[in-house]
Amino acid sequence: MSTQNKSMQGENSTFWKLTEKYGIVIPVIQRDYAQGRRADNVRQVRERFVESLYYSLQYSKPAILDFIYGTLETPASLTVNYKETTGYLEFVPLDGQQRLTTLFLLYWFLSLWNENDFSDFKSHMIYADSCRFTYRTRSSSNDFCWRLVTSSDAGSIIKNISNRVENPVYTAVVNEGWFHDSWINDPTVQGMLVMLDTLACLLPKADRKETAHDFYKKLTRHDMVSFNLLYLNRSNSDNKDATLTTEDRFSDDLYIKMNSRGKPLSDFEIFKCRFESYLRDYKDFDVNDFERKIDCEWADMFWKIRNDVPHKNAQFIVRSNTDQMMMNLINAVLATTYSLDENASEDTMDILFRTAAARNKKLDMHLTFYRYTELGVLKEKSNADATCLDRNSKYGQDIKDTFTFVSDFILSPGRYRLNQSLPDVKTCIYKILFDNVDGDRSFYGPVSYADRLYFFALSRFNTIYAGDSFVKDLETWVHFVRNLIESAEINQVRDMQKFLKVLDGILAVFAKNGSCNIISYLNSVQEYPDWSPVPGTQVREEVLKAKLISRDNRWLGEIQKADHFILWPGRSGYLLYFAGLAQMKDGELDTMSTQDHTSKLALYKEYLDKMEKLLLAVKDSSQHLLERFLLSRGNYMRRERKGYGCTIYSMMNSSFEGRSYSWRQMLQYNGIPGNRGELPEYHVGVDMLKLALDAISVQNFNDVSTLQQAIAKTIDTPSQPIELWRKQMLEEPRLWNMSCEHFFWLGDSGNAWMPRKRNFNSSHYNVTSYRLFLKVQDKFGSGSVKLRYWSDDWGYIYLNFRQAGSEKYCYTFKIQWLDIQNWKISIVTENFQFAPRPVDGTDLRFLGFAFDSDFVSEVIGSGGKIIPAEEDLLPDQVMEYQKKICDLPGLELNW
């Protein structure tokens, strides 16, 4: 080996060995101790590094922290006598400062727990009244390192840790007499204290004193954590007194070594290693097979698909590893498996599912192996009972089964090709695997409850399936799960937990019976189960569908077609209601003849065909044809609640996308009473839909144009009697646009409003006055007349007129709806305030008019003119008064 190669190789060393020979001095040019910063990204790096160190010590797996390099220098702080007689040198690191500081703190912290270890550490670190590890960046950093070694009260720190005091080391140290308050402003001191609290937090909790002693011994006597040491001003060869040549000192290889950095183990690597060590205790689990597959077979397959999903804003991306993908899969399994436990903590489930509630509570959602043990999801072997250990084994089996499922999909994607109207298996898997792998630029958004439920249903089904008709049974299973998910409101983790238990319970029956046919399962149901958060009506609907299919297979294709309707997937129960099936009592299905099935099926298909064609005819949402079509039969809207003298209704979101207050939700009504006999709140809307469909003959559904004409005729001839507000909303589609959140208020006296928002504090448009505003607007058009609508309980209409050649509006008509029978027209000043006294000639002149007593009497009167509320005549009435004003002498108006 050449001298240069030996130089580049360096020597294997440890913190203990290095400080036996030399002191370590962090020079002034180095930055502060950055590994102890409180930023979240630094915290994650710090915790990962500490976990990797503890893992190495716990399982006696040597860790090498790559290269540390620097120079050996004669200390300026020692006396001449010491320099000449001892040959003591200081190692000044150019790179490795952060790792050396962390190791110094680790040795110190572990030594605290045992008096002999602490004495050993102190005697080792003190040399000639100075500390063998110190910072020269600030005097406070230097003094802190000295005091930490020589003056710390180990008892108070251990007591704080045992009593679970928050930030135990920080709290104890800053309260000691030797600690100066000003030191807390030193970033290096701050960072060291933060790191010490992290070391305390992550130290395995079982018998800490014994564990700390064991770790300290492994560090000081067995070289468990080491690094490669390079001296930049001396040779690293056997001849320690030799110096590097200029060629050595500036070679490319040297710069490569200088720029290399030791990388801490990833979350996945730490989890895998620690979890595999747990699984070795379980005879029923083949851990060797698991290790081989996750390191080789599965890793290779994940590597092949790692670039299948691009960045959000890029066509192609090359990813360098699959650790995050594998950890995502493990996280998904642990979240669902933990949630099936009866004693699962709500906060822990929020963390595992990364919910908004966890973010609002600012809970730590960085899921490492240590974090799982801290949350109680996994248990350390040393302090776990048999039940917990069995649960660890179950988690291992679930992880293995899930990796097997994903592997099976990658190898045989055609096996999982389902009806295109069902959730795509590939998308479902990729959403889990690629979750946040690219941070803000990740292609898929956050994983939803629905995504996790689909993934759970797919992976567990794949695990237990035994049969020849895999694709057929998988398709009906996913169809069933999709219907349940679409019907349920999952707003919090407890809802998610209940839903997982529903699916897990059904899959357990599959495994027991050796059949995964969901239709057969539902057909065998004797009593309707409680599948909360799935509505009881949906449960009964799925059972009814299964029984129909089991008795006459012709139902299968039609029910699937209706359930796959893209605008409202899984929403076909209303068709069962229209066909008269939902109203049948238990047992009546068994008495239906083939002819009965034929007639009911024909009616079911007729209404499905009508709905498909209706949606083609009303797709122009700007005219609100669908809403007006139903309103022509009666008030289809869902009654929400009463308040402030009116009833609040939901008009429903006709985009079909919303899960709440929408047509999609309304059409979940199937006419089937719930488990407690309750009548779902959307039944009125569905009844109006049936009346609307029945109002048009089947023949009119043959083409879109004819159907649109029939719908228009139905809207023009509404059911009687008809209220004023309903008449106005049928005649004027633009009224519907004023309710941004699709809510409607109906007053006790028949007045109606369109609120901009659901609550009472929002602006709201009176239906009658705004209808008039639209008519006046149509009459006057644009030009010199400026129209305004002032939204309040009744609504005011303002028409502003201006003089020719002037931008100034010289007077304003105010039109006010007084009640169901009367309007009032007034003239007001341009700032919308009435004249301060009864209008006379002076006021007219002030407004720019010539005096005319007849006009004062007729138009202005005593504050305004009352006229009948015949809205079609009112625009003409305004035009007539406008003409009279224009004819007045002394005022030339621009019209």
Side-chain angles (χ1 to χ4, degrees):
M1 182 181 293
S2 70
T3 303
Q4 179 172 326
N5 288 337
K6 277 193 173 187
S7 299
M8 296 309 100
Q9 183 182 10
E11 68 178 58
N12 183 267
S13 185
T14 67
F15 180 87
W16 195 259
K17 287 180 177 178
L18 180 59
T19 49
E20 274 183 332
K21 294 187 293 183
Y22 311 119
I24 299 174
V25 175
I26 308 301
V28 174
I29 62 170
Q30 291 282 24
R31 61 178 173 167
D32 295 305
Y33 179 49
Q35 250 179 24
R37 291 174 183 168
R38 296 184 182 276
D40 189 59
N41 60 328
V42 178
R43 178 187 63 79
Q44 294 182 24
V45 173
R46 176 172 63 250
E47 290 183 357
R48 274 202 237 165
F49 185 43
V50 171
E51 284 177 341
S52 66
L53 293 175
Y54 278 155
Y55 171 77
S56 174
L57 294 169
Q58 187 170 5
Y59 299 106
S60 299
K61 293 191 174 184
I64 301 177
L65 305 183
D66 209 65
F67 284 86
I68 290 176
Y69 46 86
T71 59
L72 288 175
E73 299 177 5
T74 302
S77 58
L78 296 181
T79 65
V80 174
N81 185 48
Y82 267 110
K83 293 176 188 176
E84 293 176 348
T85 60
T86 66
Y88 181 78
L89 298 175
E90 292 177 337
F91 177 75
V92 181
L94 177 61
D95 182 69
Q97 167 207 355
Q98 304 295 319
R99 283 167 286 163
L100 289 172
T101 305
T102 299
L103 290 175
F104 164 68
L105 296 173
L106 176 65
Y107 278 74
W108 177 87
F109 175 72
L110 294 175
S111 72
L112 287 179
W113 296 82
N114 294 271
E115 186 176 347
N116 291 337
D117 291 342
F118 198 32
S119 297
D120 179 61
F121 178 74
K122 287 184 359 181
S123 64
H124 176 85
M125 293 302 297
I126 302 301
Y127 182 83
D129 294 328
S130 67
C131 182
R132 288 180 179 264
F133 180 88
T134 191
Y135 267 72
R136 292 280 165 77
T137 53
R138 292 181 181 86
S139 60
S140 54
S141 302
N142 178 67
D143 294 343
F144 178 75
C145 292
W146 168 255
R147 287 291 191 175
L148 201 62
V149 173
T150 60
S151 306
S152 295
D153 181 1
S156 64
I157 297 172
I158 293 172
K159 182 179 179 181
N160 278 357
I161 296 172
S162 301
N163 293 337
R164 298 181 180 181
V165 173
E166 188 175 3
N167 303 322
V169 182
Y170 174 94
T171 303
V173 170
V174 298
N175 287 320
E176 291 197 25
W178 54 264
F179 188 90
H180 295 275
D181 291 343
S182 60
W183 290 359
I184 203 60
N185 296 319
D186 183 334
T188 292
V189 174
Q190 287 183 29
M192 287 184 175
L193 290 172
V194 170
M195 174 57 82
L196 288 170
D197 278 327
T198 301
L199 290 168
C201 180
L202 299 183
L203 180 69
K205 295 180 175 56
D207 195 358
R208 287 193 181 96
K209 183 175 181 179
E210 186 62 33
T211 299
H213 174 67
D214 179 53
F215 285 5
Y216 181 77
K217 186 168 63 174
K218 287 178 179 179
L219 283 174
T220 58
R221 306 293 184 262
H222 300 292
D223 301 349
M224 199 57 63
V225 178
S226 63
F227 45 81
N228 289 316
L229 189 62
L230 278 171
Y231 304 108
L232 300 183
N233 60 342
R234 300 199 176 208
S235 172
N236 293 282
S237 65
D238 294 335
N239 181 5
K240 300 303 179 183
D241 295 326
T243 58
L244 290 178
T245 65
T246 303
E247 182 181 356
D248 289 339
R249 196 171 295 163
F250 298 104
S251 70
D252 289 340
D253 285 347
L254 177 60
Y255 281 111
I256 292 172
K257 294 297 184 183
M258 288 175 65
N259 283 287
S260 66
R261 296 291 187 272
K263 293 183 180 179
L265 296 173
S266 70
D267 290 344
F268 168 68
E269 290 167 332
I270 295 173
F271 183 95
K272 178 172 67 72
C273 293
R274 291 196 178 185
F275 198 51
E276 285 170 356
S277 72
Y278 277 22
L279 296 174
R280 293 188 184 282
D281 293 340
Y282 308 113
K283 297 178 181 178
D284 296 334
F285 189 86
D286 189 347
V287 68
N288 292 326
D289 181 60
F290 179 78
E291 283 183 336
R292 179 181 58 79
K293 287 183 175 179
I294 204 166
D295 287 336
C296 302
E297 179 182 322
W298 295 335
D300 289 344
M301 283 185 291
F302 277 76
W303 182 259
K304 291 177 182 178
I305 67 169
R306 75 191 189 285
N307 296 319
D308 282 4
V309 176
H311 276 162
K312 185 186 294 183
N313 300 318
Q315 294 298 317
F316 183 72
I317 182 66
V318 177
R319 298 184 179 90
S320 60
N321 64 71
T322 61
D323 286 6
Q324 182 64 48
M325 295 167 62
M326 288 187 155
M327 200 65 210
N328 281 343
L329 195 56
I330 291 170
N331 290 341
V333 177
L334 293 180
T336 52
T337 305
Y338 173 81
S339 298
L340 293 171
D341 192 320
E342 290 291 338
N343 299 317
S345 158
E346 187 168 329
D347 276 353
T348 299
M349 287 191 290
D350 276 324
I351 291 168
L352 298 179
F353 290 126
R354 299 188 180 96
T355 65
R359 290 193 297 273
N360 292 337
K361 295 176 185 177
K362 298 182 179 179
L363 300 176
D364 179 6
M365 291 184 284
H366 180 58
L367 297 172
T368 61
F369 184 88
Y370 165 74
R371 187 70 174 129
Y372 281 120
T373 61
E374 184 182 55
L375 293 170
V377 178
L378 301 173
K379 292 288 185 179
E380 295 282 358
K381 289 189 294 184
S382 55
N383 66 348
D385 57 31
T387 302
C388 293
L389 293 176
D390 288 342
R391 187 173 68 178
N392 286 354
S393 179
K394 174 174 172 52
Y395 287 173
Q397 190 61 52
D398 286 348
I399 290 171
K400 183 176 181 180
D401 290 342
T402 305
F403 270 86
T404 301
F405 158 62
V406 175
S407 170
D408 189 39
F409 170 80
I410 294 171
L411 292 174
S412 307
R415 187 169 184 244
Y416 296 87
R417 193 164 290 127
L418 307 180
N419 185 302
Q420 63 181 2
S421 298
L422 292 170
D424 179 58
V425 178
K426 179 179 179 179
T427 302
C428 179
I429 293 173
Y430 277 24
K431 281 185 174 180
I432 299 294
L433 295 182
F434 290 90
D435 178 33
N436 202 39
V437 294
D438 301 312
D440 293 339
R441 293 191 294 169
S442 294
F443 183 80
Y444 295 111
V447 180
S448 67
Y449 286 137
D451 295 330
R452 294 181 184 276
L453 288 168
Y454 281 127
F455 185 78
F456 174 81
L458 285 165
S459 60
R460 286 293 175 92
F461 183 91
N462 185 81
T463 299
I464 67 171
Y465 189 82
D468 299 325
S469 57
F470 177 84
V471 176
K472 178 183 176 182
D473 286 343
L474 177 64
E475 190 162 277
T476 54
W477 167 245
V478 175
H479 178 178
F480 165 75
V481 172
R482 189 273 315 279
N483 287 1
L484 297 194
I485 290 175
E486 290 295 331
S487 70
E489 289 286 339
I490 309 173
N491 298 315
Q492 53 188 353
V493 287
R494 287 299 181 194
D495 297 331
M496 178 67 174
Q497 182 187 40
K498 292 175 183 177
F499 208 131
L500 284 168
K501 289 182 178 180
V502 168
L503 298 180
D504 187 59
I506 297 172
L507 289 165
V509 175
F510 283 178
K512 180 180 178 181
N513 296 340
S515 170
C516 294
N517 189 298
I518 187 62
I519 294 175
S520 297
Y521 170 84
L522 293 171
N523 186 50
S524 66
V525 169
Q526 299 298 318
E527 295 183 2
Y528 296 109
D530 181 4
W531 284 348
S532 176
V534 180
T537 54
Q538 187 68 33
V539 176
R540 291 171 179 250
E541 178 185 319
E542 296 304 319
V543 172
L544 174 58
K545 291 174 183 175
K547 291 183 182 296
L548 286 169
I549 293 168
S550 298
R551 285 154 181 75
D552 192 323
N553 197 53
R554 291 178 296 170
W555 282 103
L556 178 61
E558 296 303 322
I559 287 175
Q560 287 182 343
K561 180 182 177 181
D563 277 347
H564 293 340
F565 200 76
I566 193 167
L567 290 177
W568 44 70
R571 297 289 201 273
S572 68
Y574 69 99
L575 297 172
L576 297 172
Y577 175 52
F578 289 175
L581 291 160
Q583 300 88 328
M584 297 179 70
K585 297 179 180 179
D586 292 343
E588 288 188 80
L589 279 178
D590 296 328
T591 64
M592 285 179 63
S593 64
T594 301
Q595 185 177 357
D596 292 333
H597 279 282
T598 300
S599 62
K600 293 292 186 184
L601 184 59
L603 198 55
Y604 183 92
K605 291 168 65 176
E606 177 186 319
Y607 277 110
L608 175 58
D609 184 59
K610 280 186 173 184
M611 283 301 298
E612 289 178 327
K613 292 176 178 175
L614 172 65
L615 292 176
L616 288 175
V618 301
K619 63 181 180 180
D620 181 8
S621 60
S622 65
Q623 294 299 307
H624 300 279
L625 282 175
L626 188 54
E627 296 94 328
R628 292 162 61 216
F629 185 37
L630 266 65
L631 191 63
S632 70
R633 301 302 92 193
N635 184 2
Y636 75 90
M637 293 180 277
R638 165 176 159 167
R639 184 181 185 277
E640 295 298 323
R641 60 188 176 92
K642 286 188 68 67
Y644 294 91
C646 66
T647 303
I648 301 176
Y649 288 91
S650 169
M651 298 156 59
M652 263 81 75
N653 183 345
S654 61
S655 68
F656 305 101
E657 296 173 353
R659 295 185 66 89
S660 300
Y661 306 109
S662 65
W663 287 82
R664 179 179 180 177
Q665 190 179 48
M666 182 183 85
L667 290 171
Q668 186 176 318
Y669 175 68
N670 53 25
I672 303 174
N675 291 340
R676 294 179 294 277
E678 70 273 14
L679 191 64
E681 54 238 346
Y682 282 113
H683 70 95
V684 175
V686 175
D687 286 341
M688 293 300 108
L689 175 61
K690 185 176 186 300
L691 289 174
L693 292 173
D694 291 342
I696 300 177
S697 63
V698 175
Q699 291 74 20
N700 286 331
F701 284 87
N702 289 336
D703 68 87
V704 172
S705 178
T706 304
L707 179 55
Q708 287 174 335
Q709 294 175 19
I711 292 172
K713 183 177 179 181
T714 304
I715 292 173
D716 291 340
T717 56
S719 61
Q720 300 297 324
I722 183 168
E723 306 90 331
L724 176 62
W725 68 267
R726 192 156 67 94
K727 176 177 180 294
Q728 292 165 335
M729 292 184 69
L730 289 173
E731 292 176 352
E732 181 50 78
R734 290 175 292 179
L735 284 171
W736 297 79
N737 297 327
M738 305 317 296
S739 184
C740 296
E741 294 187 0
H742 305 282
F743 284 92
F744 176 83
W745 301 347
L746 184 59
D748 296 339
S749 61
N751 301 316
W753 295 268
M754 308 290 278
R756 303 294 284 177
K757 295 182 180 180
R758 185 183 183 188
N759 60 60
F760 286 97
N761 295 325
S762 70
S763 59
H764 42 280
Y765 291 72
N766 181 278
V767 169
T768 303
S769 63
Y770 195 75
R771 172 75 178 97
L772 174 64
F773 171 75
L774 294 172
K775 286 195 172 188
V776 174
Q777 189 177 54
D778 292 340
K779 190 78 173 180
F780 283 92
S782 58
S784 61
V785 181
K786 181 177 181 180
L787 288 93
R788 295 182 183 178
Y789 182 83
W790 190 271
S791 62
D792 69 354
D793 288 348
W794 303 107
Y796 301 130
I797 303 167
Y798 294 101
L799 292 90
N800 301 61
F801 296 88
R802 62 178 178 235
Q803 291 178 325
S806 172
E807 293 299 319
K808 180 181 178 182
Y809 289 96
C810 59
Y811 71 96
T812 300
F813 272 163
K814 176 182 177 181
I815 305 173
Q816 179 183 0
W817 183 42
L818 296 179
D819 52 45
I820 204 73
Q821 296 179 336
N822 296 297
W823 297 88
K824 181 169 77 169
I825 300 179
S826 309
I827 295 181
V828 297
T829 60
E830 63 178 9
N831 61 353
F832 305 138
Q833 300 298 314
F834 282 105
R837 56 185 180 279
V839 176
D840 57 18
T842 303
D843 298 307
L844 282 174
R845 294 187 189 95
F846 172 76
L847 293 172
F849 301 125
F851 181 78
D852 186 303
S853 58
D854 293 335
F855 181 75
V856 171
S857 174
E858 182 178 355
V859 178
I860 300 177
S862 57
K865 178 72 174 178
I866 306 298
I867 62 173
E870 297 182 29
E871 60 179 49
D872 291 333
L873 300 177
L874 189 59
D876 293 329
Q877 187 79 57
V878 173
M879 291 287 285
E880 180 182 342
Y881 289 146
Q882 165 64 15
K883 186 177 183 301
K884 288 184 178 181
I885 292 175
C886 289
D887 290 341
L888 291 174
L891 185 66
E892 181 183 358
L893 294 174
N894 181 7
W895 177 244

